[in-house]
């Protein structure tokens, strides 16, 4: 086998007659640099060696001089200098890397092998892995996964090719912080009792957010953004809203809890149905008071110096023409305040 540190092979020929000199010749001259040391003649049994440079098959010829009485005689031999196994190689890269959405390139290199072997190194990804590629001496990954890489160093003239493998783990990345874009305090809105839940921040490769309320009373919304119909979850109260942005394949999930207070709000659209002016009626001095609007089933009452409640109805009872001030009030409930409206009837 090829030996970089000792590339000499002692050669000797025996037989023939008497003491004729032996001449050694290398016949396949296409193998560069091979030579006969201490030759080409063997004088007085001096040590003769065949010196090679690279592995290969060599044909050596020994010719013994017949001197005065004999014909020269020739013998040939074929010497195979075989390629030898290289020293082991290994990857000079880390076992794991954090997923980087901006730069997914990992430079590849190896150490080991034989110092005198300048064979090229090639890299491949073992079968079964689709999310990756090799460009020049760099590994390009796509997503979080475990990748199996193979490096092969060419043995060139004197060595057998050698390979090694390694596993590279691309680990999930922690998302940047998220924020729930909603006010801490919100008045109950009787027209549209909805809060729009919307999360900003986190990774940019997906937008799936799961929301839930404290105690798990409502987990029926997971779109982004999402409408929280708080009239269905208890109305006025203090809620801990949990938002979790799903990390998907390349990121860890990230969560936050945001405390939101739903406080009482105003009733809306509470107004009289009465006219502002009436014609004096000497025989019937009653005006039925009517009002609509507000929220819920709260009790309605009217106040004024000439207001009376008779037969389940409210009336303004006047005696003479003039201006009469009437105030209507509708009671609130756990979600809304009382509401009042005042008008002057002439």
């Amino acid at each position: 086998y090829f030996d970089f540190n000792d590339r000499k092979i002692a050669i000797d020929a025996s037989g023939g007659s008497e003491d004729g000199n032996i001449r050694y010749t290398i016949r396949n001259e296409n193998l560069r640099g091979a030579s006969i040391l201490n030759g080409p003649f063997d004088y007085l049994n001096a040590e003769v060696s065949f010196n090679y440079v690279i592995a290969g098959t060599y044909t050596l010829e020994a010719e013994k001089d017949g001197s005065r009485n004999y014909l020269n005689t020739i013998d040939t031999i074929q010497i195979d200098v075989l390629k030898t196994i290289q020293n082991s190689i290994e990857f000079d890269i880390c076992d794991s890397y954090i997923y980087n959405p901006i730069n997914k390139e990992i430079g590849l290199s190896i150490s080991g092998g034989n110092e005198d072997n300048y064979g090229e190194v090639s890299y491949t990804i073992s079968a079964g892995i689709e999310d990756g590629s090799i460009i020049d001496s760099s590994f390009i990954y796509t997503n979080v996964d475990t990748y199996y890489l193979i490096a092969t160093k060419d043995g060139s003239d004197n060595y057998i090719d050698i390979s090694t493998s390694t596993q590279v783990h691309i680990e999930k990345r922690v998302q940047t912080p998220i924020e729930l874009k909603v006010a801490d305090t919100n008045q109950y809105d009787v027209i549209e009792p909805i809060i729009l839940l919307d999360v900003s921040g986190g990774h940019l490769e997906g937008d799936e957010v799961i929301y839930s309320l404290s105690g798990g009373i409502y987990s029926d919304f997971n779109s982004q953004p999402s409408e929280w119909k708080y009239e269905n979850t208890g109305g006025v109260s203090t809620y801990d809203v949990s938002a979790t942005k799903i990390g998907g394949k390349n990121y860890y999930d990230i969560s936050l809890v945001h405390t939101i207070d739903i406080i009482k709000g105003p009733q809306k659209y509470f107004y009289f149905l009465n006219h502002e002016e009436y014609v004096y009626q000497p025989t019937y001095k009653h005006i039925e008071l009517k009002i609509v609007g507000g929220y819920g089933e709260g009790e309605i009452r009217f106040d004024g110096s000439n207001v009376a409640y008779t037969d389940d109805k409210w009336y303004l009872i006047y005696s003479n023409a003039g201006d009469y001030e009437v105030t209507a009030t509708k009671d609130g409930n756990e979600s809304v305040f009382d509401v009042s409206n005042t008008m002057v009837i002439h």
Side-chain angles (χ1 to χ4, degrees), residues 181-246:
K181 297 187 292 186
V182 62
D184 294 341
T185 302
N186 299 265
Q187 281 192 325
Y188 193 99
D189 188 335
V190 298
I191 304 301
E192 193 175 24
I194 292 173
I195 291 178
L196 187 66
L197 300 176
D198 191 11
V199 162
S200 63
H203 70 95
L204 302 178
E205 296 180 4
D207 210 24
E208 182 182 0
V209 178
I210 296 176
Y211 300 95
S212 62
L213 300 185
S214 50
I217 53 178
Y218 196 78
S219 57
D220 190 17
F221 45 7
N222 58 6
S223 59
Q224 168 68 357
S226 181
E227 291 184 347
W228 169 27
K229 297 180 180 180
Y230 52 80
E231 67 175 349
N232 298 331
T233 65
V236 170
S237 186
T238 296
Y239 300 90
D240 287 331
V241 179
S242 173
T244 299
K245 186 165 185 179
I246 303 304

Side-chain angles (χ1 to χ4, degrees), residues 74-85:
I74 298 176
D75 189 27
T76 60
I77 189 174
Q78 182 172 291
I79 298 177
D80 292 318
V81 179
L82 303 178
K83 289 186 177 184
T84 193
I85 298 174

Side-chain angles (χ1 to χ4, degrees), residues 126-315:
S126 64
I129 300 297
E130 297 181 359
D131 292 335
S133 60
I134 300 292
I135 299 178
D136 296 329
S137 293
S138 292
F139 164 55
I140 313 297
Y141 63 85
T142 303
N143 295 305
V144 166
D145 209 335
T146 297
Y147 298 87
Y148 298 86
L149 305 182
I150 298 172
T152 300
K153 186 172 184 181
D154 178 27
S156 64
D157 291 328
N158 300 319
Y159 295 93
I160 298 171
D161 295 353
I162 189 171
S163 297
T164 188
S165 63
T166 190
Q167 294 183 19
V168 176
H169 305 281
I170 306 301
E171 307 287 353
K172 286 190 174 185
R173 190 179 190 89
V174 175
Q175 296 189 58
T176 56
I178 60 174
E179 178 184 2
L180 184 59
K181 297 187 292 186
V182 62
D184 294 341
T185 302
N186 299 265
Q187 281 192 325
Y188 193 99
D189 188 335
V190 298
I191 304 301
E192 193 175 24
I194 292 173
I195 291 178
L196 187 66
L197 300 176
D198 191 11
V199 162
S200 63
H203 70 95
L204 302 178
E205 296 180 4
D207 210 24
E208 182 182 0
V209 178
I210 296 176
Y211 300 95
S212 62
L213 300 185
S214 50
I217 53 178
Y218 196 78
S219 57
D220 190 17
F221 45 7
N222 58 6
S223 59
Q224 168 68 357
S226 181
E227 291 184 347
W228 169 27
K229 297 180 180 180
Y230 52 80
E231 67 175 349
N232 298 331
T233 65
V236 170
S237 186
T238 296
Y239 300 90
D240 287 331
V241 179
S242 173
T244 299
K245 186 165 185 179
I246 303 304
K249 190 168 187 178
N250 297 320
Y251 295 86
Y252 293 106
D253 296 349
I254 188 171
S255 299
L256 62 75
V257 177
H258 191 106
T259 300
I260 298 176
D261 291 315
I262 307 297
I263 62 175
K264 282 188 174 185
Q267 300 186 54
K268 296 183 179 180
Y269 308 116
F270 187 62
Y271 54 90
F272 283 90
L273 293 178
N274 295 94
H275 300 294
E276 292 182 349
E277 294 184 353
Y278 289 85
V279 176
Y280 176 82
Q281 297 289 338
T283 57
Y284 188 76
K285 300 180 179 181
H286 291 59
I287 299 174
E288 184 180 352
L289 299 173
K290 297 180 179 180
I291 198 162
V292 294
Y295 176 75
E297 303 298 326
E299 180 183 352
I300 297 176
R301 61 184 180 276
F302 293 88
D303 295 299
S305 57
N306 294 78
V307 172
Y309 183 72
T310 304
D311 298 329
D312 295 331
K313 295 181 180 180
W314 290 91
Y315 293 93

